[in-house]
Amino acid sequence: MAGYEKLQKMIQSALKQSAEESSMLLNQELTVKDTEVLEFDKEAYLADMEDSAFVVPVDSREDYPGRLHLVFSLRDAILMSGILLGIPPGRISEKRKLLILEADDIDAFSEIANQIIGTFNSVFQPLLANKFHLKQLPPTKFVPQVDEVTDELPVPAEEYLVYKAQIQLGGDDLNRFDILVPLSLAKCLDPQEAIRESQSEDSAIHDQAESLRRLFPSDADGNALSGTTNGVVKEGSVLVLEDDPDQREAVKGFLLANGYTILASNLGADMKDIFAMEEIQAVVLGMQKADEWELSLCSKIKEVSGNSHLPIIVCASQWTRTGIFKALKCGAKDIIMKPYEQNELLGKLGKFLAAA
């Protein structure tokens, strides 16, 4: 995402230095690749969390008040604490499998987290105009679908910049290390100029489209015929639902030209009749506003089809973070921006049909 370049460079520098110091602490090489930066609210961030997590809250004090969070995979935390404690590899594997986190593990990992926080203090302070200090607070574990979500746990309900770091320990990829910085704190650490009124709408839409493509990548080559044989889908059809007749015919045309069997209709069509006529393998759902009624069609399609895994690609000219979350919650499998780009849509359809 655009903006906060200074903050991203500071975090990246602190992470690389932390990796070097953690390598010495663990007696194993720990490396950090470049971080990806996304913007989430709490609800959307937790919706993206599938594995159990170990959450370390960190107070930012002095002239930059706020609270950020270090979020690790719980299994990674058990691994690193086990290495620091000298636990035999077989026992570490067992504890990771069963998600066993004991008091000694928490203390050991808190030492690792405290080392990371100390490095952030030493890297950030010389680059900031005023006093800056981070202090670790008691960590917690969070198991999705099991532990209760409250206003404050596992993280407070705020808008966050989420810095996703890819880390390796001993050459093996670890699962998760996210740094959640509240937007209010990010703006203090790296003040942004006001967005100029002259910024073109096309540029804003382009940035939004690029963000969506990073969140929902498709086949990089736009491989239209994945999941097909000799360019023809062997079983089932693709359903295109679009109220704009020109857009509907355009999508229908280029999908037909690439070997797909197509059913096309408007959003008000009788879904029961459609699914009674053909075996539908995927749905392209074009929307005008991405409002509650249009998004509710995802749930209706899943219900009528009787297939909870039916891939639905929803398309609209604009998306908000809330809209994206609602679309996913309603059952959308992927999200793209209008106007339809042939290679992008073909790549996503190919990916889903190949996995069917």
Side-chain angles (χ1 to χ4, degrees):
M1 61 172 289
Y4 301 101
E5 287 87 357
K6 176 185 175 182
L7 180 57
Q8 184 174 7
K9 289 179 180 178
M10 290 164 61
I11 288 176
Q12 189 67 36
S13 176
L15 285 174
K16 288 183 177 179
Q17 186 171 323
S18 295
E20 294 174 2
E21 295 176 4
S22 295
S23 296
M24 292 186 286
L25 186 65
L26 298 172
N27 199 28
Q28 288 197 31
E29 184 180 15
L30 183 72
T31 57
V32 180
K33 300 179 182 178
D34 288 343
T35 54
E36 179 184 17
V37 188
L38 300 170
E39 188 174 335
F40 284 109
D41 59 18
K42 174 181 179 176
E43 195 173 25
Y45 180 72
L46 294 183
D48 183 55
M49 183 182 291
E50 297 178 353
D51 198 11
S52 302
F54 192 73
V55 183
V56 182
V58 183
D59 258 359
S60 177
R61 302 181 175 181
E62 304 294 348
D63 296 319
Y64 301 91
R67 180 173 296 175
L68 54 86
H69 292 78
L70 310 181
V71 182
F72 301 84
S73 161
L74 181 57
R75 288 182 171 83
D76 293 343
I78 293 170
L79 171 63
M80 287 188 276
S81 63
I83 292 172
L84 186 60
L85 291 169
I87 296 174
R91 176 56 179 162
I92 293 176
S93 296
E94 181 184 2
K95 292 177 68 172
R96 293 185 78 195
K97 182 178 180 180
L98 299 176
L99 296 178
I100 298 173
L101 186 72
E102 299 172 301
D104 285 348
D105 298 308
I106 295 175
D107 290 343
F109 195 79
S110 293
E111 183 178 343
I112 297 170
N114 207 43
Q115 173 267 313
I116 295 172
I117 292 165
T119 303
F120 271 63
N121 280 327
S122 63
V123 170
F124 275 42
Q125 182 59 88
L127 300 174
L128 296 172
N130 301 313
K131 289 184 179 180
F132 173 81
H133 183 70
L134 296 177
K135 182 174 178 60
Q136 179 181 339
L137 299 178
T140 59
K141 72 173 183 177
F142 176 73
V143 181
Q145 312 303 322
V146 175
D147 291 331
E148 181 183 5
V149 176
T150 69
D151 288 344
E152 294 297 320
L153 296 175
V155 297
E158 293 192 52
E159 298 280 337
Y160 292 97
L161 291 183
V162 179
Y163 294 83
K164 291 182 168 290
Q166 296 180 343
I167 56 179
Q168 290 185 331
L169 180 62
D172 295 325
D173 289 331
L174 299 185
N175 295 304
R176 177 189 291 269
F177 177 27
D178 297 341
I179 302 171
L180 276 62
V181 182
L183 274 177
S184 55
L185 178 57
K187 291 174 182 176
C188 290
L189 295 169
D190 185 8
Q192 304 294 292
E193 295 182 4
I195 298 175
R196 298 176 182 175
E197 294 182 2
S198 60
Q199 181 184 30
S200 70
E201 184 177 350
D202 286 346
S203 175
I205 291 174
H206 177 268
D207 289 345
Q208 190 183 35
E210 288 302 311
S211 296
L212 279 175
R213 291 188 185 104
R214 287 195 296 271
L215 279 171
F216 303 98
S218 60
D219 185 329
D221 297 323
N223 182 8
L225 302 181
S226 297
T228 69
T229 300
N230 297 325
V232 179
V233 178
K234 292 181 68 175
E235 296 180 359
S237 303
V238 175
L239 173 61
V240 176
L241 297 173
E242 171 63 66
D243 277 345
D244 186 303
D246 292 335
Q247 292 184 16
R248 183 169 64 241
E249 288 304 310
V251 174
K252 178 181 175 181
F254 72 70
L255 291 180
L256 283 171
N258 281 274
Y260 289 101
T261 302
I262 302 299
L263 287 178
S265 188
N266 57 41
L267 272 60
D270 190 317
M271 297 299 162
K272 290 183 179 179
D273 286 348
I274 290 177
F275 281 91
M277 291 167 53
E278 294 282 346
E279 180 185 351
I280 305 298
Q281 280 193 318
V283 178
V284 177
L285 176 56
M287 299 182 289
Q288 302 302 314
K289 301 177 182 178
D291 57 20
E292 295 286 346
W293 180 82
E294 290 177 330
L295 290 172
S296 70
L297 289 175
C298 294
S299 302
K300 183 177 181 180
I301 289 169
K302 291 284 182 77
E303 180 182 353
V304 171
S305 71
N307 179 5
S308 61
H309 301 293
L310 179 69
I312 301 175
I313 302 172
V314 291
C315 321
S317 58
Q318 290 190 21
W319 287 99
T320 62
R321 289 186 300 276
T322 301
I324 291 172
F325 174 74
K326 287 181 178 178
L328 296 173
K329 192 173 182 180
C330 287
K333 190 71 172 178
D334 215 321
I335 296 171
I336 64 176
M337 290 277 290
K338 288 185 177 180
Y340 298 95
E341 290 192 9
Q342 293 190 27
N343 285 343
E344 182 181 18
L345 184 53
L346 290 169
K348 290 179 184 295
L349 280 173
K351 177 180 68 175
F352 291 132
L353 294 178

